[in-house]
Amino acid sequence: MPESSTTPGSAEPGPASGPAPSSVPGTAARTVLGEADIARALTRIAHEIVERNKGAADLLLLGIPTRGVQLAHRLAERLAQIEPSFNGEYGTLDVTMYRDDLRRQPTRAVGQTVLPGSLDGTIDDKVVVLVDDVLFSGRTIRAALDALNDLGRPRVVQLAALVDRGHRELPIRADYVGKNLPTSRSERVRVRLSDVDGGADFVVISGAEPTNTSEGGAR
């Protein structure tokens, strides 16, 4: 896996093409989280991380592209406000080559894993918090755990997800959840963030679509 010790959070964001909630394709699209809701959820998760780990010592946030990276950045800012000893660093964990669906979707672009420079390329004995936008089947997180094994041996690995929509296919559970969202398998959950997609932050549920399984799919 490609690895770098350059400035954390430097992965290029996706195109600013996110639709407004009212124009998301599908049946009866509805907004379930707005900008203020997302901000409150991230603030709560940050406090829960500090409480659970009795501070932020040896804490490392690793965002899973694309939107998990931006959520990790926002969590890092909040953690720095709560715990002055936290240096605000976060990283990016690309899981592309560890996914179990590459044969079905061989055109996936390989990204870059970026660790904070202060770590000297190792995550040994760190408290690693994986950050993702939507937790669904758990297969993306399984791939993330495999990717971590190639980077080192963290003391503990935890998972923070903005949305948990259920329908797990693997025995994976989030430690921190912004919102548990009951859905059917035919529905799609879309997360839009201003620093990735432009416009306002929001999360919507819409009806099933026949194509584009990159978001709200088997994660």
Side-chain angles (χ1 to χ4, degrees):
M1 161 173 275
E3 181 179 344
S4 171
S5 59
T6 55
T7 303
S10 62
E12 289 295 328
S17 58
S22 60
S23 63
V24 173
T27 304
R30 57 190 175 93
T31 302
V32 292
L33 288 176
E35 192 162 1
D37 301 315
I38 292 174
R40 283 192 295 269
L42 292 176
T43 298
R44 173 171 52 79
I45 289 173
H47 281 277
E48 290 175 353
I49 290 173
V50 170
E51 181 177 359
R52 179 165 184 159
N53 295 291
K54 297 179 173 58
D58 299 320
L59 187 69
L60 171 61
L61 302 178
L62 288 180
I64 299 175
T66 298
R67 292 165 185 81
V69 177
Q70 304 306 322
L71 292 173
H73 171 61
R74 297 184 188 189
L75 280 174
E77 290 180 332
R78 285 163 168 80
L79 286 168
Q81 294 172 353
I82 299 169
E83 287 285 319
S85 60
F86 181 70
N87 59 16
E89 290 184 328
Y90 67 101
T92 302
L93 182 66
D94 181 70
V95 304
T96 306
M97 299 307 297
Y98 297 86
R99 296 186 64 95
D100 59 7
D101 58 357
L102 286 178
R103 282 183 289 183
R104 291 188 295 171
Q105 300 186 48
T107 58
R108 287 183 180 273
V110 178
Q112 186 179 36
T113 288
V114 181
L115 298 180
S118 62
L119 295 185
D120 295 324
T122 180
I123 60 172
D124 290 348
D125 207 34
K126 298 296 181 183
V127 177
V128 173
V129 180
L130 299 174
V131 184
D132 205 2
D133 55 352
V134 179
L135 178 59
F136 187 14
S137 71
R139 294 184 180 274
T140 294
I141 304 306
R142 182 209 60 80
L145 294 173
D146 288 345
L148 283 178
N149 284 337
D150 283 349
L151 294 176
R153 192 175 189 274
R155 183 163 76 248
V156 64
V157 180
Q158 300 170 354
L159 172 61
L162 179 62
V163 172
D164 184 345
R165 60 167 298 183
H167 304 289
R168 210 75 76 241
E169 297 174 3
L170 298 172
I172 289 173
R173 180 180 63 85
D175 300 276
Y176 315 102
V177 178
K179 184 175 181 63
N180 288 291
L181 193 61
T183 62
S184 70
R185 281 191 170 273
S186 63
E187 290 177 313
R188 295 185 62 80
V189 176
R190 292 177 177 269
V191 176
R192 290 293 181 265
L193 301 176
S194 60
D195 36 10
V196 178
D197 308 290
D201 297 340
F202 59 85
V203 179
V204 296
I205 297 180
S206 61
E209 296 179 36
T211 58
N212 188 9
T213 59
S214 61
E215 298 162 3
R219 298 181 66 84

